[in-house]
Amino acid sequence: MITTQQMIPNTEKDIYERFHPALTLPEGEDPSNSIIFLVDADRLAVYRDKDSVRFPRISDFPDQSLNLDMMDYMGTADGILCFCLSFDEAVPIPEELEFESLRALYDSVDEMMGMVASRAVHLAGWSRRSKYCGVCGSPTQKDSAELAKRCSSCGNVIYPRISPAIIIAVIKEDKLLLAHNKNFKQKWYSTLAGFIEPGETIEACARREVLEEVGVAIQNIRYFGSQPWPFPDSLMIGLIADYESGEVTPDGVEIDDAAFFGTDELPDVPGKYSVAGKLINWFVETRERTITNAVDPECR
Ligand SMILES: [Zn+2]
């Protein structure tokens, strides 16, 4: 029986000791050395040298080509000012600067910078989509007191949209439920996931999604961890549950194959930067610990 006493390490504390979000540039700060998160959809401009990447600084751009009005201040990362800028409004791109997908960058930057880059992608997309009021069509303006935009005509307030979704590891004895989604570009198998619907609790969504997609009822749902997933605006809520009843039957609409897998028979799975990857990694490590302890209790 697998317990959930060992969850993913809580790295949020470390991240927020290094990243301090803010809405406005503190008075008197010199922005000339700031990091620029230049965003084009889900891609970011970076300098890459083999496996290492760095985000550009204002000083990498031609003189006077960036001004503070076109960018959104994000706060400081390791004490360095950070701005995000949507590529629509951009300016001459320095040579050797290239756009890479945020997913690919997760493997090349540390977790804190990955989180700030993720925030930049989310904010730049929101900023692009909220230039005009959805109620009356008038231009909007950034609010100085909170992360929001206000309509200059009717006063409508627009906050960044965040769409919560569950992603769940269903455990049956010593096996993990994994499924292949028809929309996956890769051949890999992953944990089941789905968006929370209006009026639904996290737990109800988890039960509905698993039942709809593979015909299995679950019980004993518990929280694992969460991750912003800005493609374009999700918040993934990782859960663990135990199998209750039912035969695994893919719905044929979203899921074309699914089964319970032991650690020695896992198919290709998503990378460790995603919640799915962390859930699968947790399952494997917990299982290995259980086996080790069973073999030699003195090793504990
Ligand atoms: Zn309006």
Side-chain angles (χ1 to χ4, degrees):
M1 180 68 187
I2 289 173
T3 69
T4 54
Q5 286 165 358
Q6 293 288 328
M7 298 296 186
I8 49 172
N10 184 351
T11 54
E12 282 87 59
K13 185 168 170 287
D14 299 338
I15 285 175
Y16 283 100
E17 278 173 3
R18 295 174 58 194
F19 175 66
H20 301 281
L23 289 175
T24 48
L25 181 66
E27 207 138 309
E29 286 282 357
D30 173 11
S32 59
N33 196 38
S34 304
I35 296 173
I36 303 297
F37 292 94
L38 180 59
V39 180
D40 179 22
D42 66 345
R43 300 185 309 154
L44 285 144
V46 292
Y47 291 103
R48 177 174 282 280
D49 179 19
K50 291 179 186 157
D51 289 338
S52 76
V53 298
R54 79 168 177 88
F55 295 101
R57 303 291 182 104
I58 283 189
S59 52
D60 291 316
F61 290 81
D63 273 354
Q64 316 293 327
S65 62
L66 300 182
N67 67 67
L68 296 183
D69 290 341
M70 64 169 70
M71 303 188 289
D72 289 317
Y73 182 63
M74 297 178 66
T76 57
D78 288 338
I80 303 169
L81 308 175
C82 298
F83 290 86
C84 75
L85 169 63
S86 197
F87 184 50
D88 298 350
E89 297 162 65
V91 284
I93 302 295
E95 262 185 55
E96 294 174 16
L97 196 60
E98 49 190 272
F99 282 94
E100 288 198 19
S101 81
L102 178 60
R103 283 183 180 85
L105 288 174
Y106 278 129
D107 286 336
S108 310
V109 297
D110 72 31
E111 196 162 2
M112 188 275 288
M113 285 308 277
M115 186 280 287
V116 183
S118 169
R119 187 180 175 100
V121 166
H122 193 150
L123 286 178
W126 168 67
S127 203
R128 203 172 56 241
R129 289 190 297 272
S130 59
K131 284 181 184 166
Y132 299 96
C133 173
V135 176
C136 76
S138 300
T140 59
Q141 281 160 356
K142 273 188 271 183
D143 192 283
S144 57
E146 58 182 347
L147 188 53
K149 292 190 183 185
R150 281 178 193 277
C151 172
S152 51
S153 178
C154 76
N156 179 32
V157 183
I158 307 161
Y159 294 96
R161 189 174 72 175
I162 297 173
S163 306
I166 63 99
I167 182 156
I168 186 161
V170 179
I171 311 289
K172 183 183 184 187
E173 294 164 356
D174 56 356
K175 295 193 170 188
L176 171 67
L177 179 62
L178 294 173
H180 182 264
N181 189 303
K182 283 185 168 177
N183 295 322
F184 287 165
K185 290 183 184 125
Q186 297 85 348
K187 278 178 72 180
W188 67 33
Y189 282 62
S190 187
T191 45
L192 293 174
F195 285 104
I196 297 174
E197 295 181 350
E200 200 169 46
T201 62
I202 292 172
E203 294 84 355
C205 172
R207 286 196 187 88
R208 175 182 55 75
E209 284 288 343
V210 177
L211 194 61
E212 276 177 7
E213 294 188 351
V214 297
V216 163
I218 57 173
Q219 59 184 344
N220 194 18
I221 300 166
R222 54 263 194 215
Y223 179 69
F224 176 78
S226 64
Q227 184 180 34
W229 196 243
F231 308 107
D233 52 26
S234 300
L235 174 66
M236 303 304 293
I237 301 164
L239 304 170
I240 297 168
D242 297 324
Y243 167 89
E244 185 176 71
S245 61
E247 285 292 316
V248 176
T249 313
D251 65 4
V253 181
E254 277 188 66
I255 304 298
D256 55 13
D257 191 26
F260 283 96
F261 294 88
T263 51
D264 56 351
E265 55 190 11
L266 285 182
D268 286 344
V269 296
K272 286 179 187 171
Y273 59 82
S274 63
V275 175
K278 286 175 180 167
L279 276 166
I280 295 164
N281 201 41
W282 162 82
F283 166 75
V284 171
E285 286 187 352
T286 313
R287 186 73 201 117
E288 281 170 358
R289 228 176 3 251
T290 307
I291 293 166
T292 308
N293 290 345
V295 170
D296 184 1
E298 298 299 315
C299 290
R300 273 181 234 186

